[in-house]
Amino acid sequence: MFFSTLVIASAALLTVTAQNSSYSSPSPDPFKTYTISAPGINATFISYGATLTSLLVNDKNGKPQDVVLGYDNATDYVKDTQGPHTYFGPVVGRYANRIKNGTFTINGVTSHVPENENKGLNTLHGGFVGYDQRNWTVSSFNESTITFMLLDQAFEGFPGNLITYATYTVSAGPRWTSRLISIPLDEPTPIMLANHVYWNLNAFVDPSNPTVLNDTLWMPYSARYVEVDTILIPNGTIGVTGGTVLDFTKPKQIGQDIEAAVNTCGLGCTGYDNAFIIDRPRYSAPEATDLTVLTMYSNITGIRLDLTTNQQSLQIYSCNGQNGSIPVKQSQQHGDSTIYVPKYGCVVIETQQWIDAINHPEWGQDQYQIYTVDSQPAVVFAQYDFSIMS
């Protein structure tokens, strides 16, 4: 897979080099919606952040349900970044998750990027203006697939220029496939992108039960996790999930142990916001896509999600910070009263590499996070298969 990806990405780079001026121009309307469809699935995007704004799949009764959070009015995504900044549905980067002190060193050269979280103690999702706030170019669009392009000209102080393609495809299954391909154009640089989608497989169909606490989560290959300090910065220790509230190696309801997950998601926080390591078995490979690394399903709608990815970590966030101030979309309003996103009303699943590994060379992750002009491109492959629980 990676050889073919490299060929495709290299060909794309040649095209961009030849037509750089047109490809570097952002889409004229960052809030125009683009919908792609296949049997049993319908997905809508905007070029602002290359954001997924809705994803409809059928429930156990054959009725389409929107299983991702977001906004009905696309301009509200800008208002969100100026307010709660939830990161509803975009690509986050150039480096997803957190960087301690906003600092890293590559080949003896130290770079400093904006610390936009915890009063200046770390960088989150690429800085003050990350990929989620950039107007991407629509470079290809048809009934079942769309490709966005972003030319990152050393945004937020990251070293060098970088070109990224985000290709989203829906197909029968139903299935949603996301492929993020990044190519450095000059300097060595860290790259770790992720889709930042908020999921609720219940789709809020039961207004009296709007949380995901009764949904089942299973990560069979995540027996380890990255331990963090009180503000969710890795402390250098790799922990074992067995015997802790973080053990999802067997199917478990999200809410089963959540009340005991005190300070697990940061000081004073109860819930999950943790990087689970994917340790594929010996007959597989570190970046193999032949195994389902996460399964989640709803006992209300019967919708099941199975995830495969080439990444080696899953950041799971149980929406501990949601407080009922954001209404769900009209497609998710069921009943006479307006439904708002409550605490634990969603789950974010980020397919990515190990958090802040660029500051932990002892982990041996540099080859998966630091890229150069003569390396393979950085590729984030994630495939989401939907079905109905029997």
Side-chain angles (χ1 to χ4, degrees):
M1 184 188 78
F2 283 96
F3 176 77
S4 60
T5 299
L6 177 59
V7 172
I8 294 169
S10 299
L13 176 58
L14 291 175
T15 302
V16 171
T17 302
Q19 303 177 1
N20 186 54
S21 60
S22 62
Y23 268 76
S24 62
S25 301
S27 298
D29 182 1
F31 308 114
K32 178 182 177 180
T33 58
Y34 300 86
T35 298
I36 55 177
S37 302
I41 188 168
N42 181 299
T44 301
F45 305 87
I46 57 175
S47 60
Y48 182 77
T51 298
L52 172 68
T53 63
S54 70
L55 183 67
L56 279 76
V57 294
N58 290 340
D59 65 13
K60 61 186 179 183
N61 298 315
K63 183 177 181 179
Q65 300 293 348
D66 192 348
V67 294
V68 303
L69 274 63
Y71 295 103
D72 288 312
N73 187 336
T75 60
D76 284 343
Y77 287 91
V78 175
K79 297 176 183 177
D80 183 285
T81 59
Q82 298 169 346
H85 207 166
T86 58
Y87 300 93
F88 275 157
V91 173
V92 290
R94 174 183 305 195
Y95 194 91
N97 222 311
R98 295 168 174 88
I99 301 174
K100 184 177 181 178
N101 298 325
T103 303
F104 53 89
T105 300
I106 300 176
N107 296 339
V109 179
T110 298
S111 297
H112 192 90
V113 295
E115 304 100 324
N116 59 319
E117 190 185 39
N118 293 313
K119 299 180 180 179
L121 294 180
N122 66 277
T123 303
L124 175 66
H125 295 328
F128 286 109
V129 185
Y131 284 11
D132 64 298
Q133 298 177 67
R134 303 290 177 176
N135 182 17
W136 296 53
T137 298
V138 177
S139 58
S140 177
F141 172 54
N142 60 41
E143 64 179 14
S144 62
T145 187
I146 186 167
T147 296
F148 297 96
M149 190 279 292
L150 181 68
L151 180 60
D152 175 350
Q153 299 173 297
F155 293 159
E156 297 294 278
F158 281 90
N161 299 305
L162 181 74
I163 192 164
T164 293
Y165 289 89
T167 296
Y168 302 130
T169 303
V170 292
S171 54
R175 166 182 287 175
W176 172 45
T177 302
S178 170
R179 290 168 290 173
L180 309 178
I181 303 174
S182 301
I183 307 169
L185 303 182
D186 36 46
E187 300 180 35
T189 182
I191 305 172
M192 190 170 83
L193 307 189
N195 295 111
H196 203 275
V197 179
Y198 284 69
W199 300 92
N200 186 316
L201 299 183
N202 299 320
F204 302 97
V205 297
D206 182 359
S208 66
N209 186 16
T211 75
V212 297
L213 296 178
N214 292 328
D215 288 5
T216 297
L217 178 63
W218 181 26
M219 294 181 285
Y221 306 108
S222 292
R224 297 191 299 160
Y225 70 103
V226 178
E227 293 192 12
V228 294
D229 63 16
T230 57
I231 58 171
L232 298 180
I233 305 300
N235 60 20
T237 302
I238 303 302
V240 177
T241 62
T244 77
V245 296
L246 296 174
D247 189 0
F248 286 92
T249 55
K250 295 181 180 179
K252 182 175 74 172
Q253 286 190 328
I254 294 172
Q256 178 176 314
D257 298 323
I258 203 165
E259 291 302 324
V262 179
N263 299 327
T264 301
C265 49
L267 183 64
C269 175
T270 300
Y272 302 113
D273 194 357
N274 305 94
F276 294 82
I277 294 170
I278 302 171
D279 288 313
R280 294 170 174 85
R282 57 185 294 184
Y283 57 78
S284 186
E287 295 182 290
T289 59
D290 58 336
L291 300 169
T292 298
V293 298
L294 179 147
T295 295
M296 184 168 64
Y297 54 87
S298 163
N299 62 351
I300 295 177
T301 61
I303 297 172
R304 170 174 171 150
L305 165 62
D306 289 294
L307 170 64
T308 57
T309 181
N310 68 331
Q311 299 297 281
Q312 298 181 73
S313 176
L314 297 168
Q315 182 80 19
I316 303 297
Y317 170 58
S318 56
C319 292
N320 324 302
Q322 300 305 312
N323 57 13
S325 62
I326 299 175
V328 304
K329 292 174 288 185
Q330 283 301 312
S331 58
Q332 298 166 329
Q333 296 288 351
H334 303 276
D336 298 328
S337 301
T338 301
I339 303 172
Y340 292 82
V341 184
K343 184 177 182 178
Y344 309 135
C346 41
V347 175
V348 178
I349 304 168
E350 300 173 47
T351 58
Q352 58 194 218
Q353 300 293 352
W354 294 22
I355 173 177
D356 198 33
I358 51 173
N359 284 314
H360 290 278
E362 72 275 15
W363 291 346
Q365 295 294 305
D366 284 1
Q367 64 176 315
Y368 306 113
Q369 302 210 1
I370 298 174
Y371 294 86
T372 65
V373 291
D374 57 355
S375 70
Q376 290 195 26
V379 178
V380 182
F381 174 86
Q383 202 158 69
Y384 305 81
D385 287 300
F386 298 93
S387 59
I388 299 299
M389 293 295 295
S390 57

